[in-house]
Amino acid sequence: MAKYFDVHPENPQRRAINQVVDIVRDNGLIAYPTDSCFALGAQLGNKDGIDRIRSVRHLDDRHHFTLVCQNFAQLGQFVIISNAVFRAIKASTPGSYTFILPATKEVPRRLMHPKKKTVGVRIPDHVVVQALLAELGEPMLSSTLLLPGEEEPMTQGWQIKDELDHVLDAVIDSGECGTEPTTVIDFSGPEPEIIRRGAGDTSRFE
């Protein structure tokens, strides 16, 4: 059964944040709000967490997982990024974008695309997520909370608790969050490629 945390959207209660981070560190799987929509989150090295996310979302091994980072210092440890790409990403973050880039050796192999050796990264513009990441001290493995057969991601904490109580360890609800998934831009090729049009404006990448 998932623990339910009602967290203030602008001043997250430190005790609640600490409890959620303890659950993540204890190999738990959480649902949390972001600036795009709700996401599933687990600790970076949590193999069981990866398997549980794949199971919940019916994902194959070609799915790009995302490393949700607190800042560029963290992001730079896990992806290879040129100066030109850095400038493009810097201008769009924090925000509702996921960027696909070549992974460094810091990224567990099971998180990479099996052929491209790439991984998704993002820096969210959301107070609660930033508080979680600051306490965790490392990026969080993440994936949009979009259930199989559904076109829209889940956006209500109580609904997530109700439907996924048996597969999650915690649900964070901080009221309104985004209703669209992130815009996904692939920077692993010679030109940026828009993989998914979502909450982030794509005009600067076209």
Side-chain angles (χ1 to χ4, degrees):
M1 181 179 289
K3 292 184 178 180
Y4 187 82
F5 295 89
D6 188 4
V7 176
H8 194 282
E10 295 176 4
N11 298 292
Q13 302 92 318
R14 187 168 183 82
R15 185 167 179 268
I17 295 297
N18 289 348
Q19 286 179 304
V20 173
V21 169
D22 284 345
I23 289 169
V24 172
R25 287 179 176 147
D26 198 30
N27 289 333
L29 179 63
I30 68 169
Y32 66 99
T34 77
D35 50 341
S36 56
C37 57
F38 267 86
L40 297 168
Q43 193 166 28
L44 191 55
N46 183 353
K47 184 180 183 301
D48 179 60
I50 298 170
D51 293 340
R52 289 166 71 185
I53 291 172
R54 288 191 193 280
S55 176
V56 170
R57 291 202 54 202
H58 294 186
L59 301 173
D60 60 28
D61 64 358
R62 294 185 301 277
H63 174 74
H64 270 106
F65 281 98
T66 299
L67 303 182
V68 178
C69 302
Q70 183 184 3
N71 50 38
F72 268 96
Q74 263 188 8
L75 185 146
Q77 297 175 39
F78 294 91
V79 290
I80 300 166
I81 183 167
S82 69
N83 289 335
V85 172
F86 175 86
R87 287 192 294 271
I89 293 177
K90 181 77 170 173
S92 305
T93 54
S96 301
Y97 296 89
T98 298
F99 302 102
I100 297 172
L101 290 157
T104 68
K105 293 180 180 179
E106 299 294 319
V107 178
R109 185 174 294 273
R110 68 180 72 94
L111 296 185
M112 299 180 192
H113 188 283
K115 291 184 178 179
K116 297 180 179 179
K117 306 305 181 194
T118 49
V119 70
V121 288
R122 70 170 299 222
I123 301 174
D125 186 14
H126 195 282
V127 172
V128 174
V129 186
Q130 285 289 337
L132 281 174
L133 294 171
E135 181 63 28
L136 184 62
E138 64 182 24
M140 189 160 54
L141 161 68
S142 193
S143 184
T144 302
L145 183 37
L146 183 62
L147 296 182
E150 297 292 330
E151 293 186 3
E152 300 291 332
M154 301 178 79
T155 58
Q156 300 292 332
W158 61 267
Q159 180 189 17
I160 293 166
K161 162 75 170 164
D162 191 47
E163 290 194 29
L164 298 177
D165 200 31
H166 59 296
V167 295
L168 296 174
D169 298 294
V171 176
I172 302 174
D173 194 345
S174 61
E176 294 295 318
C177 76
T179 57
E180 282 187 280
T182 56
T183 291
V184 181
I185 313 291
D186 188 345
F187 275 108
S188 64
E191 296 291 334
E193 180 183 358
I194 300 168
I195 303 297
R196 178 176 72 194
R197 296 177 187 271
D201 179 18
T202 60
S203 60
R204 73 181 66 206
F205 303 105
E206 295 177 288

